[in-house]
Amino acid sequence: MKTRISDLLDGWGDHSVELSPGPEVSPERIRERTMKLLHTKPKRRLLPRLAACAAVAAALTISAVAAYQIWGPGSLFDSFFTIENGALDEGQKALLDEMGTTDLEPSVSNGITITPLASVADEYSCYLRLRVEAPEGTVLPDMDTQEDHVFRDVDLRDTATEERLDWGMQKARFLPDSTPGDNVVELVFMLYGRPGGANWNDGVSKTLYLTDLVLSPRENTSGDESMVLEGTWSFSMDHLYQSKSLEVDPAGAVRLDAETQTAVTMESLTLSPLSVSFILSYPSDAGPFVHYELTFVCKDGSAVTINGANGYGDPGPDGPGGRDYFYGVSAFDIPIPLERIDHIQFGDCSIFLPETTQ
């Protein structure tokens, strides 16, 4: 009688390992991710029998963190975007797989391990899905899905020169906890940049330092008391994220500001699936215009409107008394594949994308 290798594993499961529940993934996607990992990981020459033994050993020692990697950034960030904006479709997940990575090392401080399960970034915005594991027996408060500033200090540095880099602003969103009352919480940590700040696609090796994680449940949520996990965790952000940015010619699009009746001109516009960066100009006595309406009209009839940005104003080339400029970046609430955008509406002006995206 023929014996399959899977038959030899019956009854040999490692029950000491608790696998955290993850997103639902189709068999096709598991096959796709597995083949991708096989083709991207370094290959070692092993005798067939030794290779089979290595596969068995890997199956028996797989950890909860390693199990996440088969899903890829798209599936791992799906639960984050689902909280307020609905689940990602397969096209959006595939896009984040291209723009992100799961190849980041964990960091340990004071016995607390923080593992970046996945990250995704464009030039200005970086998202990290973090798994926080305190020592066994520690009960972490149930944070539900609240949004908050969670680290007392955030420091981003050029790894080679140790120069401090401008990372913009921080925000975090906790993810639903399927096992509240244990020693693990997960969250998505976001760094929203601005023009002139750190560029995640410039090829410069960066180190991110996160100090003291504050877990402070809101009133009328879990009823748990606040807790501070003290320590400093460092992460090597050496991955060069795949840029998907696209320069769009606004062709001098003008919007009339309703409050001041001032004409605001769109001077430049750059898109990525995660954010939009732009430059506005306006009379020096009328601004700055950090709030505006920019609507992305998709080919399926849906629309996304943003009205605000992280950035700064500055006198233009004419100096004081001439036109002033505002340099801004605004992150989308959900990834937008650029080929789905029909046009961008700025006041009464329609701005069209290059034909290469159509």
Side-chain angles (χ1 to χ4, degrees):
M1 182 180 71
K2 293 183 178 181
T3 302
R4 297 173 299 179
I5 190 170
S6 59
D7 297 330
L8 299 176
L9 297 177
D10 290 344
W12 288 89
D14 186 355
H15 301 291
S16 67
V17 176
E18 181 181 350
L19 297 181
S20 301
E24 295 184 3
V25 185
S26 66
E28 292 76 14
R29 186 163 181 80
I30 293 176
R31 187 180 304 111
E32 174 189 345
R33 290 293 305 171
T34 303
M35 294 305 297
K36 182 177 180 180
L37 290 173
L38 287 174
H39 288 295
T40 55
K41 298 294 184 183
K43 297 179 180 179
R44 299 178 180 176
R45 298 184 62 185
L46 293 175
L47 296 175
R49 182 171 299 177
L50 290 178
C53 292
V56 172
L60 294 176
T61 60
I62 187 170
S63 69
V65 173
Y68 275 106
Q69 293 189 354
I70 198 170
W71 291 314
S75 292
L76 288 172
F77 282 105
D78 185 29
S79 57
F80 162 69
F81 289 109
T82 299
I83 293 173
E84 290 188 351
N85 301 288
L88 300 177
D89 59 37
E90 290 304 313
Q92 291 169 312
K93 292 179 183 179
L95 176 65
L96 293 185
D97 284 348
E98 295 176 6
M99 297 181 67
T101 183
T102 56
D103 190 20
L104 291 170
E105 295 296 323
S107 179
V108 181
S109 182
N110 288 340
I112 300 163
T113 303
I114 298 184
T115 304
L117 299 173
S119 67
V120 64
D122 63 4
E123 280 69 15
Y124 299 109
S125 304
C126 182
Y127 297 73
L128 290 163
R129 176 166 173 171
L130 302 179
R131 183 179 191 268
V132 180
E133 183 176 359
E136 193 70 32
T138 305
V139 177
L140 299 182
D142 182 6
M143 301 300 294
D144 195 38
T145 59
Q146 76 182 48
E147 188 177 83
D148 216 338
H149 296 285
V150 294
F151 290 102
R152 285 179 170 170
D153 188 53
V154 178
D155 190 12
L156 183 66
R157 293 181 179 267
D158 182 308
T159 303
T161 67
E162 296 191 354
E163 175 190 0
R164 297 191 71 170
L165 304 175
D166 178 9
W167 47 265
M169 60 175 290
Q170 65 161 310
K171 191 167 68 170
R173 166 78 77 176
F174 288 90
L175 299 177
D177 192 348
S178 60
T179 57
D182 64 2
N183 62 326
V184 175
V185 295
E186 292 190 12
L187 64 140
V188 171
F189 181 64
M190 296 153 274
L191 292 173
Y192 292 137
R194 64 176 187 169
N199 185 330
W200 296 99
N201 283 328
D202 61 6
V204 175
S205 178
K206 304 171 181 65
T207 303
L208 177 66
Y209 299 90
L210 303 177
T211 300
D212 292 350
L213 175 60
V214 180
L215 303 177
S216 183
R218 300 272 170 80
E219 294 182 6
N220 302 322
T221 53
S222 67
D224 294 339
E225 294 184 358
S226 298
M227 178 183 295
V228 178
L229 301 182
E230 296 183 343
T232 296
W233 299 268
S234 62
F235 307 95
S236 296
M237 307 296 289
D238 294 330
H239 181 73
L240 180 60
Y241 298 93
Q242 182 176 341
S243 176
K244 295 284 186 178
S245 64
L246 176 69
E247 297 285 342
V248 179
D249 182 7
V254 176
R255 172 182 176 270
L256 186 66
D257 183 71
E259 292 185 6
T260 64
Q261 295 299 302
T262 299
V264 183
T265 302
M266 181 70 70
E267 300 287 350
S268 71
L269 187 66
T270 302
L271 286 178
S272 96
L274 299 179
S275 66
V276 55
S277 61
F278 59 89
I279 301 176
L280 299 176
S281 73
Y282 43 84
S284 59
D285 59 351
F289 287 90
V290 296
H291 295 284
Y292 59 93
E293 284 190 7
L294 197 59
T295 300
F296 298 82
V297 182
C298 296
K299 296 174 183 177
D300 63 2
S302 62
V304 176
T305 299
I306 58 175
N307 190 19
N310 184 23
Y312 61 95
D314 203 22
D318 298 332
R323 291 182 71 81
D324 284 352
Y325 285 71
F326 179 76
Y327 304 82
V329 173
S330 187
F332 299 135
D333 291 332
I334 197 166
I336 305 177
L338 301 186
E339 66 274 9
R340 299 183 186 182
I341 299 175
D342 181 76
H343 68 278
I344 304 166
Q345 199 68 30
F346 183 64
D348 294 330
C349 297
S350 297
I351 303 172
F352 292 93
L353 276 59
E355 293 183 0
T356 54
T357 61
Q358 304 304 311

